[in-house]
Structures are given as C-alpha cells and as structure tokens.
Amino acid sequence: MPIPTGVGAEELRRANLRAILQTVHTHGPTTRAVLTKQLRLNRSTIGALTGELQSLGLVTEQASAVAGRSGRPSHLVVPQSDNVVVAVDVGVDRIAVAVVCLGGEVLAHRFRGHQRGQHDVAHVVESVARMVEDVLAVAPPRTRCLGIGVAVPGAVRARDGMVRSAPNLGWVDEPFSELLGERLGRAVSVGNDANLGVVAEHMRGAAVGYTEVAYLNASVGIGGGFLVGGVPLTGASGYAGEVGHMQVDSVGPGCRCGAIGCWETKVGENVLLQHAGRQPGGGPPAVAEVIAAARAGEERAARSVEEVADWCGVGLQAIVNLFNPEIIVLAGSLSQVWVAAQTRVTRSMERSALVSPHGEILICAAGLGEDSPLMGAAELAFAPVLDDPQGVPQAV
Amino acid sequence: MPIPTGVGAEELRRANLRAILQTVHTHGPTTRAVLTKQLRLNRSTIGALTGELQSLGLVTEQASAVAGRSGRPSHLVVPQSDNVVVAVDVGVDRIAVAVVCLGGEVLAHRFRGHQRGQHDVAHVVESVARMVEDVLAVAPPRTRCLGIGVAVPGAVRARDGMVRSAPNLGWVDEPFSELLGERLGRAVSVGNDANLGVVAEHMRGAAVGYTEVAYLNASVGIGGGFLVGGVPLTGASGYAGEVGHMQVDSVGPGCRCGAIGCWETKVGENVLLQHAGRQPGGGPPAVAEVIAAARAGEERAARSVEEVADWCGVGLQAIVNLFNPEIIVLAGSLSQVWVAAQTRVTRSMERSALVSPHGEILICAAGLGEDSPLMGAAELAFAPVLDDPQGVPQAV
C-alpha cells in the first residue's frame, strides 16, 4: 500500500493530542522535555497541545524539579485524576467494582457475592448498578465519570457488546450492556474478561514490553486473551481466545458448554477442590488451602495438585504450539498451581518434543493478580477519550 | 503513537514503486488509469514510476484497448514474466517443484517421491537441488531467477530458516536453507508449509478478501496457518500455527512428537486409511478410494470416514473458539473428508454450544488444491523484490 497522502494539520494535531494523553495515562506524570523528544515535535507545539489538554480538563501542568535539556526546569504534564471511569468485573463467584482515575490510580475497590447467589441477568444488572451508584456517590466532588466498562466471562460480540454465550453464568444472547446502560442512564462498554485482562497486563502488569502474549485466567472456567504483534486478538466478531473449551480429554467429564473433556473441566478451581475431597465454590482461598495441605503431606491434596498440574501442561502445550508466545501470564488458580507445581507443569508441556518451550518462553503469574480483567475494563471505558481527547464529555 | 513525520520524497517513491509492483504481481496486467486512481497519484508520477520499473526489467507497458478516464487509451502495465522464482514443497510423501513467474503464472510444475523413500536431510537436499536445476535448465532464455522458496512441514525459525522440528520427516534442528543454499550456490528461503499456504490462499485462492483466516492442511500430519487482521500469524519466533499437536484424545495413540492423542493421530490420512483396513502411504488417491467405497456402502470404510469426520469437528471447534475466523480453508485429506461428510463434521463441531459456527463461519476447500504451500513458497521467494523493487538482482 502507498503511504497515505494528504494528512492534514488538523489530523496531525489530533494524533499528537492522543499520543500525549496516552503517554501520561500509561506512564504517569511526564515532563514536556520527554514528550518533546518522544513525539519529535518542537517545544512550542508541545506547549500548545498540553495547553489544549489542560483546557479540556484532562491534564494539569506543574513546575518540575528536574531540569530539561535547556537547563531550565521542564513542566511536568500530569493526568488530571478527577477524570475517572467505573470498572466492573462480573465473575462467577463475585462482582468487583472499582473507580479508576486517568493515570491508572484506583480510588475505590469493592466486591461482593452475587445477590442470593443468582446469575440471572436481571439480578446481575441490579447488583452491578447499585455497586456503581454506591462508588460514584462517595467519589470526591468535581469527579467527572468518563464511562463504565464491564468484563464478563463469556463471548462478547464486538459490534454491540451482546453477550453471546457465558456458560458459567448460564447466559445466552444477553444484551447486558444495553440493560445496564438503561438502568444507569449511561453508556456501558462490555468485553470478555480475559481479552481485557491481557490488555491490562500489557499496559501495567507482567507483560509490559512484550508483543506476543497469552493471558490465561482460571477460576470456575478458563478465559484466554492474546496479543498478536502487540494487538489484542479479537477474531472476526470478538469471540477469539476461548481456550477453556478445547477438548483435551476424550473420556473426560461433561462441560457446561455441552461438550465433554474441555480443558476447563480438567483444571478449573472446583475440579482441584473436588479431587482433593473439598466442597466446590471456595474460590482462591480454598485452592490455597489445598496447595498448603499438599505441601504439608496430605496425599489426596497432593494427588489433586499433581493431576491438575499435568492437565495445565496439556493445555499450555497447545497454546504454545498454536501461538508461539514470548510470555504466558497465568492468573487465578492456574497461577496458584503454576507457582506450587512448576516442574510438574513444565514436564507435562514437554511430553511433546515439537518445539521445546524451555528457555524460550517466559511463564509467570499475573502482575495485577486477580485485578487484570477489572483494570482492562477500566481501559475499555477510557478508550473513547484516549482515542479522541477533544470528544471528552464536558458535563460531570 | 504520533503520525511519523519526515517521510521524504525518496521514501514515498519507494513505497509507490512497491505498491505498483505488488498490484500487478497480485492482480495481473493493470491500466495506468487504475493505478493512478488506486495510488491517488497524478498521471505523470505514475508514468515515471512505471518507467523505472520497466528499466529494472520488472514490467512492460502495452497499449490497451480500454479507454482511460480522459477518453484516451490507457497504457497497460504488465508484470514481466521472464522474472521467475523456483518454489519447492517438501512433503512427507513427495517433493513438488514449480517455476513461477512474476504475476503468478506457473511455467513448470514437477513432483516426485523422496529418493529411495528417505527423509534424511542430505538426501532431501540432493533431490531438491537436482529438481531445481532441472526446471531451471529448461526455462526459456533470458529468464531471471529472483530466488528460491521452500515449504517444509515443520517449525521453521523465522530468523534464519532453521528447521527446528519436523516430526514427520524426523528432522530436529536441521539448517535446511543453509544446506540447500550451499549446494545450489544461491540464497534459499524456507518457511512452514501451512504458514505459506494461508498466504497463497489469501492472495490467489479461497480466502481472497478475508482478514481472519485459518488454513488447515492434512496429509500424514496437519499443518495450520493463520491470518490475523490480514497478517500472517508467526508468533515470537515463527513457530505459530502448529495445530496438529493439540491433545484431543487422552487415551489416543502415540504421536511421532512424543505425546499421545494429538489431533493429527486422529485425522491424518493414514489414520483414515488404516481404520478402513487399507495400507498407509497411499496419499490423496487412497483417501479418495476409501471415501468412494464408503459412499458405495462398504461398512468399514464408512465407519472410518465417520470417525475421522467426528475428530475433524473436535479440532475445528478448538480452532473456532481460539481464533474466531471468518473463513476456514481446508486442504489435503481434511478437505476430502469435509466434502464427503460435511454434516457429520459440522454436528461434531456443534457439540459445544459455546459459539455456534453455523452461518457465521465459511468452511471450504482450498482454492489452490494441493498447491497452496508451493504457491506460498513462491511468494516467499518474491518477497524481497516486491518489498524493494530497486534491489532486484541485475544478473541472470
């Protein structure tokens, strides 16, 4: 393709406004001197651009103690933290909500179980709406809410946020973003939890600086989110990355999706709990208890951890063969099992001599712990303003 | 990121030379009028650029019968077909070699079995070298060979063409491109057969116009090649797309890779032949015979086709869940089984209610038949000249 011609001055200015706002949102306060260098623009142009962002209420400028290239102290461009979004992570066990400021600081962070343990969409919409209203009610005065982003554990149609299928919530074709948006009287963006998780890990977590990333998050099910060439893998309609339903065990148990022997029926946290003789539903603390018991010598717990570790390796080997990632970021019970039984997982992955992952692939626990999908949901809500700072809503 | 500044006139001219050459190589003879419109350049600039490509010996210009916008006939820019590459596809059963002209026309196309049935790298290098020399010896005078591209059924390191692992040839860490290059006294580029196949299907086959593409080619093993956002999926080192070694059957047979129950042990062509009571090694004609026998009522053949169809569905469902492609292009025995037992394959894919592929994903046989990897290997060899037309070697 030819290099596009006819990039006008206005288009260039928008691109530079965007670049400055994205830089301070991602990396925090940045001197004008650094921005000047990064954007290859002159000082007066940078000054005009940061002035415009300031008048839009998106940044402030402070005198910096650090001297610039000229020897004079360079202004520090600071993301204005009264711009916030509300991020929501709808899990199978609990709902988490956070207020996240421009620049990434988390102001409020709450979670609670589903209302009466119910997953039906009307109950979830009502629970989430109340939690959102509660956190916004206690936000400082002059807070401007730029948007609401929600992570859900299912296939979300990119075009309109329709949740096509979330087997572990029992949802099929639920227009969740529409329902929540109507209830709150605000636009709501919805995305798949793992697709959002990988974005957050790339931006502020374990995958900073990598372009080929696999993020795998196990709780009741397993979500997968991928970066390919630094860009989130969405597929044709937004459903890519559903790693949990690869058939790995032809004689395995039935899965909520209708098939048998899906990867998540072999490594989900409830599988680990039940094989160890525990009740399902205890979440990460219960998984930690089993791992501790295994370490202390309880044979049933140890066998369960080993079995799950072996099946982790089976799925990870498929991921490595399909995506050849630089880094695999593990979250939820996958991360717990990895930390406890790394050698066993690695040995299982290396059953196949195809391409040895050893020494070529970094495998690690999520840098943001359980919060990657939540922080990714915040980025989903920030996206319109980061993409077009001049379009920022001026009303609170 | 800011829009890059400082794109010089020379850089722009190279980009436009590249765009013109790629257009005529992909789409064949094109009028100056169409190029002018596509590249948003004026008529005299296009004339200067096609003149330069002509002096490099890459295109010719012919008077066209079709009138341009001005009413005057527009010159037709034609790829100069005495620029050729030699494409090679090293299969498990046979080696195919073709001379492919700029513009995509195939001049010579030959194949033969491996020398004494041997896969050891020295024998394969010698066989390929002789076949390359033979086809070049009968090429028309004034033919200019721009390069040699080779497709192999294994993981190829992008950096240097090292074949890290090709289980069905028994190769581990074979520097095939170096060995063949030394034998021929020419540079040789090597790539994974399926990764090359998807490029060819996108350029001249069933996947023209699609950006999210899965190409799956089964013979003894199964190769997978993917386009994500129109760009070939390579992964960190070039090994992405190895679909054949996903474990699908936990009680399945051993695989040459060292693991058990890999997808290719359930759907490879020899599996279909053996389940039907035939000898392995008969290739596509033997698969066609089994399918015909199944249709004619032979029970054992029918059962084999059904079983392989079921396992096809298991693997395709994983691919759909992971990549959410617009189109799946099937080649080799996968294509034969798909055509013969489409309903059965689809039913197997839809065991899982996760995201119904029905009506959203096009599944079809390869447009280039068995030749997609070969034609992709040709593109690998054309790539340097298409990327930098001015760098075309002037010696024959």
Side-chain angles (χ1 to χ4, degrees):
Chain A
M1 284 280 87
I3 292 177
T5 51
V7 174
E10 177 54 27
E11 206 172 322
L12 199 61
R13 207 170 56 93
R14 281 172 189 272
N16 285 323
L17 278 177
R18 194 185 300 151
I20 294 173
L21 189 61
Q22 287 175 356
T23 299
V24 299
H25 174 59
T26 306
H27 302 291
T30 307
T31 62
R32 275 202 205 174
V34 167
L35 291 169
T36 303
K37 202 173 160 191
Q38 270 186 0
L39 274 72
R40 295 190 285 165
L41 295 170
N42 63 44
R43 292 170 57 90
S44 65
T45 307
I46 287 285
L49 292 165
T50 58
E52 176 159 4
L53 289 173
Q54 200 161 5
S55 73
L56 290 165
L58 293 168
V59 305
T60 54
E61 292 201 72
Q62 299 172 4
S64 160
V66 184
R69 206 168 164 182
S70 65
R72 289 176 299 184
S74 180
H75 284 273
L76 199 60
V77 182
V78 180
Q80 199 162 318
S81 63
D82 50 11
N83 295 285
V84 304
V85 297
V86 183
V88 180
D89 181 19
V90 177
V92 176
D93 294 326
R94 60 170 205 170
I95 300 168
V97 169
V99 174
V100 181
C101 304
L102 194 66
E105 197 197 339
V106 178
L107 267 198
H109 190 176
R110 297 175 183 198
F111 52 89
R112 68 176 187 215
H114 286 275
Q115 210 187 5
R116 295 195 295 277
Q118 291 200 38
H119 288 149
D120 80 76
V121 74
H123 276 101
V124 174
V125 165
E126 189 53 33
S127 290
V128 169
R130 289 195 192 161
M131 291 174 78
V132 170
E133 288 168 343
D134 287 354
V135 291
L136 282 177
V138 298
R142 301 198 49 215
T143 298
R144 175 165 62 173
C145 178
L146 302 179
I148 295 170
V150 184
V152 298
V156 179
R157 187 159 64 199
R159 167 158 60 84
D160 56 4
M162 167 74 87
V163 181
R164 290 297 312 279
S165 164
N168 292 315
L169 297 175
W171 293 3
V172 175
D173 284 334
E174 293 291 358
F176 183 78
S177 62
E178 203 180 306
L179 296 171
L180 183 62
E182 277 169 14
R183 168 64 179 77
L184 286 168
R186 290 170 182 276
V188 170
S189 303
V190 175
N192 170 271
D193 53 0
N195 289 357
L196 296 172
V198 73
V199 168
E201 285 292 324
H202 183 242
M203 198 161 167
R204 309 187 193 277
V208 170
Y210 294 95
T211 61
E212 312 300 321
V213 183
Y215 166 82
L216 305 168
N217 186 359
S219 56
V220 174
I222 309 178
F226 296 85
L227 293 190
V228 172
V231 177
L233 178 75
T234 60
S237 313
Y239 312 144
E242 288 290 346
V243 296
H245 302 277
M246 299 188 285
Q247 176 178 319
V248 293
D249 185 4
S250 51
V251 294
C255 178
R256 296 203 209 185
C257 81
I260 60 156
C262 294
W263 192 32
E264 67 181 45
T265 68
K266 307 302 287 185
V267 304
E269 63 187 22
N270 287 335
V271 180
L272 184 129
L273 296 177
Q274 286 173 296
H275 285 190
R278 270 70 169 174
Q279 288 295 316
V287 172
E289 183 275 320
V290 170
I291 287 171
R295 199 168 284 142
E298 187 193 318
E299 203 178 316
R300 197 166 174 191
R303 273 208 314 273
S304 179
V305 172
E306 286 174 3
E307 192 181 335
V308 169
D310 289 345
W311 284 108
C312 283
V314 168
L316 291 179
Q317 186 240 2
I319 301 296
V320 168
N321 281 337
L322 286 167
F323 290 97
N324 181 207
E326 297 169 277
I327 180 170
I328 299 178
V329 179
L330 300 175
S333 62
L334 270 176
S335 147
Q336 292 175 286
V337 170
W338 169 252
V339 170
Q342 189 166 334
T343 311
R344 184 114 189 177
V345 175
T346 307
R347 203 182 308 144
S348 167
M349 289 176 74
E350 292 178 344
R351 289 168 353 276
S352 165
L354 194 61
V355 175
S356 166
H358 213 68
E360 291 192 15
I361 295 173
L362 182 60
I363 303 181
C364 65
L368 303 171
E370 304 297 301
D371 286 342
S372 333
L374 189 67
M375 295 305 289
E379 294 310 322
L380 187 65
F382 277 122
V385 169
L386 292 172
D387 190 55
D388 178 18
Q390 292 168 310
V392 65
Q394 289 305 309
V396 174
Chain B
M1 283 280 86
I3 292 175
T5 52
V7 174
E10 177 54 26
E11 206 172 320
L12 198 62
R13 207 170 56 93
R14 281 172 190 272
N16 286 323
L17 278 178
R18 194 185 300 153
I20 295 173
L21 189 60
Q22 287 175 356
T23 298
V24 301
H25 174 58
T26 305
H27 302 291
T30 308
T31 61
R32 274 201 204 175
V34 167
L35 291 169
T36 303
K37 203 173 157 189
Q38 270 186 0
L39 275 71
R40 295 190 285 164
L41 295 170
N42 63 44
R43 293 169 57 90
S44 65
T45 307
I46 288 286
L49 292 164
T50 57
E52 177 159 4
L53 289 174
Q54 200 162 5
S55 74
L56 290 164
L58 293 168
V59 305
T60 54
E61 293 202 71
Q62 297 171 4
S64 160
V66 184
R69 205 169 165 183
S70 64
R72 290 174 300 183
S74 179
H75 284 274
L76 199 60
V77 182
V78 180
Q80 199 163 320
S81 63
D82 50 11
N83 295 286
V84 303
V85 297
V86 183
V88 180
D89 180 19
V90 177
V92 177
D93 293 326
R94 61 170 204 171
I95 300 167
V97 170
V99 174
V100 181
C101 304
L102 194 67
E105 195 196 342
V106 178
L107 267 197
H109 189 175
R110 296 175 183 197
F111 51 90
R112 68 175 187 215
H114 286 276
Q115 209 187 6
R116 294 193 296 279
Q118 292 201 35
H119 288 151
D120 80 76
V121 73
H123 276 101
V124 174
V125 165
E126 189 54 34
S127 290
V128 169
R130 288 194 192 161
M131 290 173 78
V132 170
E133 287 169 344
D134 287 354
V135 291
L136 282 177
V138 297
R142 300 200 45 216
T143 297
R144 174 165 65 171
C145 180
L146 301 179
I148 295 169
V150 184
V152 298
V156 179
R157 187 159 63 199
R159 167 157 61 84
D160 57 3
M162 167 76 86
V163 181
R164 289 297 310 282
S165 164
N168 293 314
L169 296 174
W171 293 4
V172 175
D173 285 333
E174 293 290 358
F176 182 78
S177 62
E178 202 181 307
L179 296 170
L180 183 61
E182 277 169 13
R183 168 64 179 76
L184 286 168
R186 290 170 182 274
V188 170
S189 303
V190 175
N192 170 270
D193 53 1
N195 290 356
L196 296 173
V198 74
V199 169
E201 286 293 323
H202 183 242
M203 199 163 167
R204 308 185 193 279
V208 170
Y210 294 95
T211 61
E212 313 301 321
V213 184
Y215 166 82
L216 305 168
N217 186 358
S219 55
V220 174
I222 309 179
F226 296 85
L227 293 190
V228 172
V231 176
L233 178 75
T234 59
S237 313
Y239 312 144
E242 288 290 347
V243 297
H245 301 277
M246 298 187 286
Q247 176 178 317
V248 292
D249 185 5
S250 49
V251 293
C255 178
R256 296 201 209 186
C257 81
I260 60 155
C262 293
W263 192 32
E264 69 181 45
T265 68
K266 308 301 288 186
V267 304
E269 63 187 23
N270 286 337
V271 180
L272 184 130
L273 297 177
Q274 286 173 298
H275 284 190
R278 271 68 169 176
Q279 288 296 315
V287 172
E289 183 274 322
V290 170
I291 287 171
R295 199 167 284 141
E298 188 193 317
E299 204 179 316
R300 196 168 175 188
R303 273 209 314 275
S304 178
V305 172
E306 286 174 2
E307 191 181 335
V308 169
D310 289 344
W311 284 109
C312 283
V314 168
L316 291 179
Q317 187 240 1
I319 300 297
V320 168
N321 282 336
L322 286 166
F323 290 98
N324 181 208
E326 298 169 277
I327 181 171
I328 299 178
V329 179
L330 300 174
S333 62
L334 269 177
S335 148
Q336 291 176 287
V337 170
W338 168 253
V339 170
Q342 190 166 331
T343 311
R344 183 117 189 173
V345 175
T346 307
R347 203 181 309 143
S348 168
M349 290 176 73
E350 292 178 344
R351 287 170 354 277
S352 165
L354 194 60
V355 175
S356 165
H358 213 72
E360 291 190 16
I361 295 173
L362 182 60
I363 303 181
C364 65
L368 302 171
E370 305 297 301
D371 286 342
S372 332
L374 189 67
M375 295 306 288
E379 294 310 320
L380 187 66
F382 278 122
V385 169
L386 292 173
D387 190 55
D388 178 18
Q390 292 168 312
V392 64
Q394 290 304 308
V396 174

